[in-house]
Amino acid sequence: MKKIAALFLDATDRADWREALSEVADIVCLTVDGDLASALRALRDSTADTDFGVVMLSARLYPEAYPELAVRLRAICPEAEFLVISREAGAPPLRSLLADRIRHLTISAKHDLAGGEQLPAVIAMLAQRRPWDAASCLKTGTPVHSFELGSSEDKEGVIGALERVLAGQGDEIELLRQKASLLADELMENAMYGAPRASHGVPMFRKGEKRQMLPHEVIVFSFGFDGETLALNLTDNWGSLEPDQVLECLTRNADGYQDADECGGRGLFIVWRFLDQFHVSVQPGRRTAVGGQLHLASKLDPATPRGFHIIEEEIAA
Amino acid sequence: MTTAKTSNNGSTACDYFALEGTIDLHSEALLMAIPAKVKHPVVRFDFAKAGRVNSMGVALLLRCFKEISGKAEIRLEGLSQMHAMLFKMTGVFLLATPAEQNKEGAA
């Protein structure tokens, strides 16, 4: 098992995350305290026996205080997954993360919040480089319903099935139902019209046109609801969504939505903002999975930035 | 399916459009026809009977509102909490003002 590294700005910053990281084993915590060179030397020394699988950076340290940090760390830990951890008030600008190809961001409240992410679970997922699993966030025994799309006409039927699983009265469940149907709509539209690419990356189908799935094409929408948490996942077997393209699209829409009618990738941006936790995993040319979870009583504001996890899966030889 | 109803209220000199059903790619013809119908300095869009608005629906609303915004003030009515959240995050409120801000939690 590879080790975990965590770098903090100072002792106050480190103390702020102590409780959240208390259950993480094999973690090396370093405090920069104004001397980055020493902290990096200590990190390099720690790699003598085992490499780091995950490197965590506090958002108080990166990108604002030390914008060059990600580049310097990659030289020491070239194989590690990089995760920026941030409090809601200090979420980092996505443009820096995009430039440094950092594909994991967790934004957590100081105290447990419905829909909030648990760092130990995130770190375990990254350390093993395993994609997010819809069942993992649901209570044991919760059924996960899966629908393979045969044609574009199936979309509304699948959304109807999802809405029936979320039956009930009250403001919270009504809002969850509305969010869920929009998320399902965006995920299926992206898979049916965004994913299929001909040579040179040209889209094969026009948005909105009626279409049958191709003989080799597999698009599966899955969901489960355990009474509190809704998990949604869409997989296609195109694998055409590039990890960097995901972050680029989130950044572009977050930065400049006043020109958003000309801006691509808005569907993915909406999915990111409405989910409590957003996960993408890609096996290039083989498989894309986009999904995440949403809590019935989520207190996360869709108008504010959200965390994300974008994993490029290794293809077994 | 989106439908729009138009009515002119003489006392407030405004145009009024009620949107119904899902607002998506299939709403293009209807939404793109609206700017040419605007005759007054204030335009009210009523979303009380509108359902899901997806990303293509947002794109069409933005295009429609951009065309109108130079010649009239746009007010949005009957927004659900979901509409308000969506419009806030996608920049629709930069072009149009939620008229029932307090009631609908659109702040």
Side-chain angles (χ1 to χ4, degrees):
Chain A
M1 179 83 172
K2 290 182 175 179
K3 290 185 296 189
I4 315 296
L7 282 87
F8 302 99
L9 181 69
D10 52 27
T12 308
D13 187 23
R14 183 171 175 169
D16 187 36
W17 292 97
R18 184 166 293 134
E19 192 182 334
L21 295 170
S22 60
E23 293 171 26
V24 180
D26 289 323
I27 185 166
V28 175
C29 292
L30 297 166
T31 304
V32 170
D33 267 331
D35 185 356
L36 182 61
S38 294
L40 293 179
R41 200 174 311 118
L43 185 74
R44 193 177 293 111
D45 292 346
S46 303
T47 60
D49 49 348
T50 320
D51 285 341
F52 287 99
V54 179
V55 175
M56 263 184 293
L57 306 173
S58 161
R60 293 191 60 202
L61 182 68
Y62 167 88
E64 195 172 326
Y66 294 97
E68 79 286 10
L69 183 58
V71 172
R72 297 182 70 177
L73 284 170
R74 273 202 206 282
I76 301 171
C77 310
E79 302 297 322
E81 291 282 353
F82 282 66
L83 165 68
V84 173
I85 54 176
S86 168
R87 295 299 183 199
E88 283 174 303
L94 291 190
R95 194 149 291 287
S96 301
L97 277 61
L98 172 65
D100 286 327
R101 303 181 75 199
I102 290 185
R103 295 170 176 172
H104 304 279
L105 169 67
T106 291
I107 300 174
S108 16
K110 199 151 188 178
H111 304 289
D112 276 353
L113 198 66
E117 255 185 318
Q118 301 298 316
L119 267 182
V122 170
I123 293 165
M125 181 182 78
L126 299 192
Q128 296 167 34
R129 284 207 177 171
R130 61 178 156 80
W132 178 78
D133 171 19
S136 68
C137 64
L138 300 171
K139 291 172 187 163
T140 309
T142 303
V144 174
H145 310 271
S146 289
F147 295 84
E148 182 174 341
L149 301 185
S151 83
S152 53
E153 306 273 283
D154 293 345
K155 185 182 84 173
E156 291 302 328
V158 174
I159 291 174
L162 172 60
E163 288 175 336
R164 284 193 291 279
V165 166
L166 299 172
Q169 293 188 333
D171 292 346
E172 277 187 348
I173 193 74
E174 173 60 30
L175 184 58
L176 183 67
R177 211 164 29 235
Q178 291 179 16
K179 287 180 182 175
S181 60
L182 176 59
L183 289 163
D185 184 326
E186 299 295 353
L187 289 170
M188 286 188 273
E189 287 281 321
N190 275 348
M192 289 190 294
Y193 301 105
R197 300 278 162 162
S199 55
H200 307 296
V202 179
M204 294 173 67
F205 302 100
R206 266 185 307 107
K207 278 191 177 181
E209 73 171 287
K210 288 182 184 175
R211 57 157 302 216
Q212 302 292 314
M213 299 311 123
L214 301 174
H216 63 274
E217 187 178 21
V218 182
I219 296 176
V220 179
F221 181 62
S222 307
F223 57 85
F225 179 57
D226 65 9
E228 291 182 346
T229 299
L230 170 68
L232 303 169
N233 197 39
L234 192 296
T235 62
D236 68 62
N237 65 340
W238 291 94
S240 56
L241 186 63
E242 294 173 16
D244 290 340
Q245 186 190 348
V246 178
L247 193 46
E248 191 182 335
C249 134
L250 303 185
T251 305
R252 204 172 49 219
N253 278 275
D255 275 359
Y257 55 26
Q258 56 270 50
D259 296 322
D261 61 330
E262 306 301 334
C263 193
R266 187 186 299 102
L268 208 55
F269 173 77
I270 288 171
V271 170
W272 171 51
R273 284 295 180 87
F274 271 114
L275 284 169
D276 291 338
Q277 298 176 31
F278 176 65
H279 297 268
V280 177
S281 64
V282 183
Q283 281 187 20
R286 294 192 178 188
R287 178 182 176 274
T288 302
V290 183
Q293 63 197 71
L294 182 55
H295 198 281
L296 174 64
S298 176
K299 296 287 183 286
L300 304 179
D301 178 3
T304 61
R306 188 76 77 249
F308 52 80
H309 299 289
I310 305 162
I311 288 182
E312 186 163 357
E313 292 181 69
E314 288 168 12
I315 299 172
Chain B
M1 183 71 177
T2 308
T3 60
K5 293 172 185 167
T6 311
S7 68
N8 292 328
N9 181 334
S11 61
T12 54
C14 69
D15 293 297
Y16 173 85
F17 300 94
L19 303 179
E20 294 179 13
T22 300
I23 300 176
D24 59 12
L25 187 70
H26 303 293
S27 314
E28 183 169 14
L30 183 136
L31 287 171
M32 292 304 98
I34 288 179
K37 296 177 183 172
V38 172
K39 306 294 177 204
H40 295 92
V42 174
V43 192
R44 293 161 52 210
F45 282 86
D46 189 346
F47 284 80
K49 291 184 179 172
R52 187 169 78 237
V53 182
N54 72 8
S55 56
M56 281 306 300
V58 169
L60 293 168
L61 286 173
L62 285 166
R63 207 176 300 164
C64 171
F65 291 171
K66 267 187 181 173
E67 262 198 78
I68 296 171
S69 60
K71 57 181 177 180
E73 178 193 345
I74 304 165
R75 295 180 189 165
L76 308 183
E77 302 174 357
L79 296 176
S80 67
Q81 188 180 356
M82 182 69 188
H83 292 141
M85 288 191 291
L86 180 68
F87 291 172
K88 187 177 176 185
M89 78 166 76
T90 53
V92 172
F93 286 160
L94 297 176
L95 297 169
T97 309
E100 299 168 65
Q101 207 159 359
N102 295 330
K103 184 180 163 189
E104 299 295 339

